[in-house]
Amino acid sequence: MSAVDELIALARSPDPFRNAPDNLAELQLEAARERFAERRQQIRVLDKRAKEAGVDSIDSLADLVPLLFAHTNYKSYPEAFVDNGQWKHMNIWLGTLSSHATDNIDVADVRDIDEWLDRARAAGHHVFASSGTSGKSSFLNQSTQDRDLSLAACLAAADLSTPAYVPDHSRSVFTMMPPRGTHKMIDFCNVHFPRWAAPGEFHRLSDYPMRAFDAMRPAQLRRLLAAGRVGPGEVAAYEAEVEARQQARAGEFDAWMDLLVSRRDRPLYIGVMYGVAWQIVHALRARGIKDGDFHPDTLMSFGGGTKGAAVPADYKQQIMGFFGVTPDRITSSYAMVEMSGFCAKIQPTESYAVPPWIIPLILDKPGETLLGTTKDAGRVEGRMAFFDILADGRWGGIISGDKVQVEFGSGLEGVKTPVVHAIARYADLEEGEDKLSCAGSIDSYVRGSITAPQPVAA
């Protein structure tokens, strides 16, 4: 069995963090070597980057550092491809960052970005999108194997975060996640939360799908208006549509709050982003609901940050106090959409175990130098990067905007994998944009790759 296969097998383990082998570091290095040899044959921009960086093989984890991609590389497509409906060009762009050919995506009569994503999924490319708060979404390819293994790994990590509780269809469940859409976590939520819900007690905030089009359309209209390709009337019509949708969402939120209030004397499971959790606290306090006025067996799970939300410094403590939940009743994790699975919370601590198929690469702030990767390194602080051995649809090397503390060989609560102790965003710690030099290098390779083919009519 290859090193890659051994680590893939751990993704199906009920506790991969404690079942990891004693020779994990050696196994990970060999798996990274195998993945690189395979992927450079499939992903042209990776091969070009490796040649320019002088990396012929992965002989140490430091060899991975110059080969890391940034999350922004996955939004490097020219906006004109979307504005002009050039979906064959989008196929070509996606193919530059994918390990499987994307020319099998049928783009006939595709009308918008979400239809293109639907066609990609139908062709076996389970592409998911970032939130697109900047006006441009990232699109990351994943194969069916990626999707299935990551889902199994996420479920295992979620269950390990609250070991005293089991999903037994006994709770009133409230989740903000809709049943359909482009966010990676929708598949997870569609499987995870129904396991906990009593009959008739699975309550979504909305059934409106999470669409890439909705995130990208405002910026697109601004571009088209500046270019004289749409008129003020079309913009006004879209703004009216958005206002109507926002009013509908506000009504859904109020109805959701009514349901939550009516169920607060029952065992609950509330799964939301932190920003929405604070909205709930604010809304229910305005209704006169007091802190702790919930069933004492309430469970909660949180995800994401609070980008764009006005929250006090102690918002997490206030949320926990309002619902009366203790840390052992919070399913929490550390992850990012580029990662297969979650880093599971280690009870009773506030630390997170890294899955054995994820190789953490802690870098200096510029993202150029590896700071430590072995048990001898102890606790290392720096920029979080990682290599994801499970990634099948794309290259697994990613550099993030997170500042973390990672401990190698902690042995905390029997965990055999590295442990993340502290997490912050560089962009939140310092003024100015957090830029990475590697992002520009990879983007230039992508631009070269998508201009190389002869133009094809969409």
Side-chain angles (χ1 to χ4, degrees):
M1 181 183 292
S2 71
V4 168
D5 289 338
E6 286 190 51
L7 291 169
I8 286 176
L10 284 170
R12 300 185 176 92
S13 166
D15 191 344
F17 313 96
R18 294 174 178 84
N19 293 337
D22 294 334
N23 67 333
L24 178 62
E26 294 82 2
L27 192 65
Q28 288 178 331
L29 179 58
E30 178 57 30
R33 185 178 295 118
E34 292 172 8
R35 280 301 201 202
F36 172 66
E38 179 183 21
R39 293 288 177 258
R40 72 177 307 178
Q41 305 301 319
Q42 300 166 326
I43 304 174
R44 185 164 56 181
V45 296
L46 172 63
D47 184 59
K48 181 175 176 61
R49 178 61 178 164
K51 288 176 179 176
E52 293 197 1
V55 178
D56 295 320
S57 65
I58 306 300
D59 299 317
S60 72
L61 295 183
D63 293 328
L64 287 169
V65 175
L67 306 179
L68 296 171
F69 289 12
H71 70 92
T72 54
N73 296 138
Y74 292 94
K75 60 173 70 175
S76 60
Y77 52 90
E79 291 165 325
F81 288 2
V82 177
D83 293 349
N84 300 331
Q86 295 173 298
W87 306 115
K88 286 186 179 180
H89 287 36
M90 283 297 288
N91 287 359
I92 294 170
W93 168 80
L94 183 65
T96 67
L97 294 164
S98 301
S99 52
H100 302 292
T102 56
D103 55 1
N104 63 334
I105 302 174
D106 178 11
V107 296
D109 302 319
V110 168
R111 292 173 296 179
D112 59 32
I113 191 68
D114 290 282
E115 285 196 3
W116 177 69
L117 291 169
D118 287 343
R119 297 290 183 85
R121 282 189 287 272
H125 304 282
H126 301 275
V127 181
F128 59 90
S130 68
S131 59
T133 52
S134 66
K136 192 176 186 184
S137 291
S138 300
F139 298 114
L140 293 93
N141 202 355
Q142 59 178 350
S143 67
T144 301
Q145 175 179 294
D146 281 332
R147 182 196 60 186
D148 294 347
L149 286 174
S150 184
L151 179 57
C154 288
L155 291 170
D159 291 348
L160 288 168
S161 294
T162 50
Y165 298 88
V166 295
D168 58 358
H169 299 285
S170 65
R171 297 175 177 273
S172 294
V173 175
F174 290 80
T175 176
M176 59 177 282
M177 199 63 77
R180 295 179 294 113
T182 56
H183 197 283
K184 185 179 179 182
M185 285 298 99
I186 287 178
D187 286 341
F188 167 74
C189 292
N190 284 344
V191 176
H192 175 62
F193 289 117
R195 304 179 303 152
W196 296 85
E201 289 297 323
F202 184 34
H203 306 294
R204 298 183 188 271
L205 172 57
S206 176
D207 287 333
Y208 185 81
M210 189 176 293
R211 302 192 305 167
F213 177 85
D214 294 330
M216 299 171 66
R217 185 59 171 166
Q220 182 186 52
L221 279 176
R222 287 193 294 271
R223 291 193 303 272
L224 297 178
L225 182 64
R229 294 177 56 187
V230 299
E234 186 171 346
V235 174
Y238 176 75
E239 290 175 343
E241 178 187 337
V242 171
E243 183 178 356
R245 192 185 311 138
Q246 289 174 339
Q247 291 178 353
R249 297 293 85 79
E252 290 175 336
F253 184 77
D254 286 342
W256 200 53
M257 290 299 92
D258 290 341
L259 271 174
L260 184 57
V261 169
S262 71
R263 304 298 199 274
R264 71 186 188 279
D265 60 343
R266 306 180 186 184
L268 301 174
Y269 189 163
I270 303 171
V272 292
M273 307 289 275
Y274 270 114
V276 175
W278 180 250
Q279 282 185 272
I280 295 171
V281 171
H282 184 75
L284 293 188
R285 280 177 174 167
R287 295 182 181 213
I289 305 300
K290 305 299 184 183
D291 286 18
D293 192 15
F294 290 84
H295 194 282
D297 199 29
T298 290
L299 298 179
M300 298 191 75
S301 66
F302 299 113
T306 58
K307 185 175 182 179
V311 298
D314 64 341
Y315 71 94
K316 290 185 180 180
Q317 291 77 13
Q318 288 203 48
I319 291 168
M320 291 174 62
F322 182 76
F323 290 102
V325 294
T326 49
D328 63 304
R329 289 189 278 118
I330 295 176
T331 300
S332 185
S333 62
Y334 171 59
M336 51 198 77
V337 294
E338 297 90 351
M339 183 182 291
S340 298
F342 298 149
C343 298
K345 183 180 179 183
I346 306 170
Q347 295 289 2
T349 74
E350 291 298 317
S351 301
Y352 302 89
V354 180
W357 54 86
I358 299 291
I359 305 175
L361 304 167
I362 310 308
L363 312 179
D364 61 355
K365 185 177 182 294
E368 298 171 349
T369 304
L370 186 63
L371 300 181
T373 59
T374 68
K375 295 179 181 179
D376 295 336
R379 189 176 294 204
V380 181
E381 181 175 274
R383 183 182 291 276
M384 180 66 170
F386 62 89
F387 187 75
D388 183 353
I389 297 208
L390 258 61
D392 177 60
R394 61 188 184 278
W395 176 234
I398 286 287
I399 183 169
S400 82
D402 290 356
K403 182 178 182 181
V404 298
Q405 290 181 10
V406 173
E407 186 170 3
F408 296 85
S410 70
L412 185 65
E413 300 296 322
V415 169
K416 295 182 179 180
T417 61
V419 172
V420 181
H421 290 292
I423 305 157
R425 296 283 294 174
Y426 276 109
D428 296 334
L429 297 173
E430 302 174 12
E431 293 185 1
E433 187 179 358
D434 181 30
K435 293 185 177 181
L436 295 167
S437 59
C438 69
S441 298
I442 302 300
D443 281 356
S444 69
Y445 302 151
V446 171
R447 286 194 295 272
S449 294
I450 62 179
T451 57
Q454 292 297 314
V456 181

